[in-house]
Amino acid sequence: MPELPEVETIVRDLQSAMVGEKFVNLTSFFEKAVYPGLSAFDDLVGKRVESVGRRGKFLIIFFDGDDVLVLHLRMSGRIVLSSHGEAQLPHERNRLDFEKSSLRFCDPRKFGRIWLAKISDYEAVSGISRLGVEPFGDEIDAKYFTDLFGKKRGAVKKNLLDQSLIAGIGNIYADEACFYAGIRPERETSSLSRREFVLLFEAVLKALNQGIINRGTSISDYHDAYGKSGKNQELLYVYGRGGKECIGCKEILVKAKVAGRGTVYCRKCQR
DNA sequence: CCATCATCCTGCCGGC
DNA sequence: TGCCGGCAGGATGATG
């Protein structure tokens, strides 16, 4: 499941590999994923990659002029950077050929999307405009987080996953952040103390930052643009460890359903 | 306004 | 062994 750290890892790889590359052609094996449609890519031919960025879990490729390509990997999407003319990979849905390289969008579950838009409207077109703050952005700090979450009702995890509050947190890092903070994911948000809000904020940053440092969590589908696994899955305390012993206290970790998502936590370490 | 549900999809897992 | 039903899950849109 690509979340902020996984997308950030891919963005950094693409930024160093693709700046200056000239777009040549789109090959689509799954047209439904492409907005507004295949013919829109005719205008992109000959444009060069100016920079690669990220907003939440969206990957953004800026071209010279005013063209912007936005990608969202959703559940199972994967980017593979390769040379030209290679055989279609398993689950390869769309392929963007550049002069020297080929960016291939693989996605078993077909939930991923690609948008081509202009600098003036790419945020509205893709849904980026509905996102909340970047967790590593300048405007957020413990006070901002406390004010933002202090107004919210419902489970802590539900609000962590709400992209319109803080952008980029998904199931893995939400569970890990709750563990770091010693807070149960199902806790009513408004019941958190001031101290707990600060702990949770710091835990979110810690979980995400650790994910970035380790080049992402490779569980099921995620690999970087060169097909290599991340290392963060070796450092997870709770995600995917339901029924196993807590690394902190040896208690058997509980598996639950919170905000409609599979959730794991420690009954002893998290209150 | 809020919460819940269906939708999109396929791989995988458990049951028989 | 092999088939099949059911389920997970990010985001959105419909429904209650």
Side-chain angles (χ1 to χ4, degrees):
Chain A
M1 227 177 315
E3 306 180 21
L4 186 151
E6 289 73 33
V7 178
E8 180 66 25
T9 300
I10 296 167
V11 163
R12 290 177 185 184
D13 284 351
L14 295 185
Q15 170 73 22
S16 49
M18 296 196 66
V19 170
E21 275 269 60
K22 196 189 276 184
F23 177 75
V24 175
N25 178 56
L26 166 71
T27 306
S28 185
F29 310 106
F30 183 60
E31 296 187 24
K32 266 185 74 177
V34 182
Y35 294 86
L38 303 191
S39 57
F41 284 73
D42 293 347
D43 290 338
L44 194 63
V45 174
K47 305 280 175 63
R48 287 179 190 278
V49 174
E50 200 172 84
S51 65
V52 184
R54 178 193 59 73
R55 181 76 172 86
K57 303 175 198 171
F58 291 83
L59 193 157
I60 313 169
I61 303 177
F62 297 95
F63 287 82
D64 57 10
D66 57 357
D67 294 289
V68 182
L69 193 66
V70 180
L71 299 91
H72 198 302
L73 303 173
R74 291 280 174 91
M75 300 286 302
S76 59
R78 183 175 160 185
I79 300 292
V80 178
L81 206 53
S82 74
S83 51
H84 281 279
E86 297 190 15
Q88 185 180 3
L89 287 166
H91 311 116
E92 185 175 353
R93 307 302 184 196
N94 285 284
R95 181 185 297 191
L96 295 148
D97 281 326
F98 292 80
E99 229 167 24
K100 294 175 199 150
S101 61
S102 193
L103 192 158
R104 302 150 85 182
F105 193 113
C106 302
D107 185 18
R109 295 194 189 174
K110 297 184 170 178
F111 285 174
R113 292 291 179 263
I114 298 172
W115 298 264
L116 180 61
K118 299 292 178 187
I119 190 79
S120 56
D121 67 357
Y122 77 94
E123 291 175 305
V125 165
S126 62
I128 287 176
S129 56
R130 286 191 285 272
L131 296 177
V133 294
E134 279 295 314
F136 296 108
D138 292 335
E139 62 270 67
I140 192 170
D141 56 19
K143 182 189 177 329
Y144 181 101
F145 179 86
T146 303
D147 290 346
L148 182 66
F149 273 58
K151 294 188 207 118
K152 294 294 164 187
R153 310 234 56 175
V156 164
K157 177 158 173 180
K158 168 188 168 274
N159 291 317
L160 288 176
L161 293 175
D162 187 339
Q163 302 298 301
S164 73
L165 302 179
I166 300 176
I169 305 168
N171 212 22
I172 299 170
Y173 297 97
D175 277 12
E176 293 299 300
C178 287
F179 179 83
Y180 286 150
I183 295 167
R184 296 188 186 186
E186 64 207 5
R187 271 280 292 285
E188 166 57 44
T189 305
S190 58
S191 80
L192 265 60
S193 66
R194 286 196 90 75
R195 186 181 126 78
E196 284 177 317
F197 279 122
V198 175
L199 284 174
L200 184 59
F201 171 65
E202 288 168 352
V204 165
L205 295 189
K206 183 180 164 190
L208 293 174
N209 195 44
Q210 192 200 254
I212 294 170
I213 288 169
N214 292 291
R215 296 185 58 80
T217 301
S218 288
I219 284 176
S220 66
D221 299 287
Y222 171 74
H223 296 267
D224 68 25
Y226 301 106
K228 286 170 73 178
S229 297
K231 292 206 185 322
N232 202 55
Q233 64 281 2
E234 297 160 20
L235 300 161
L236 299 177
Y237 282 86
V238 285
Y239 181 84
R241 300 194 65 251
K244 295 182 180 167
E245 284 184 357
C246 174
I247 290 163
C249 73
K250 308 282 185 203
E251 179 88 358
I252 298 300
L253 296 173
V254 179
K255 226 175 154 179
K257 197 125 187 159
V258 180
R261 303 286 139 66
T263 300
V264 181
Y265 66 90
C266 176
R267 232 190 297 251
K268 260 173 111 176
C269 297
Q270 295 171 259
R271 304 284 169 172

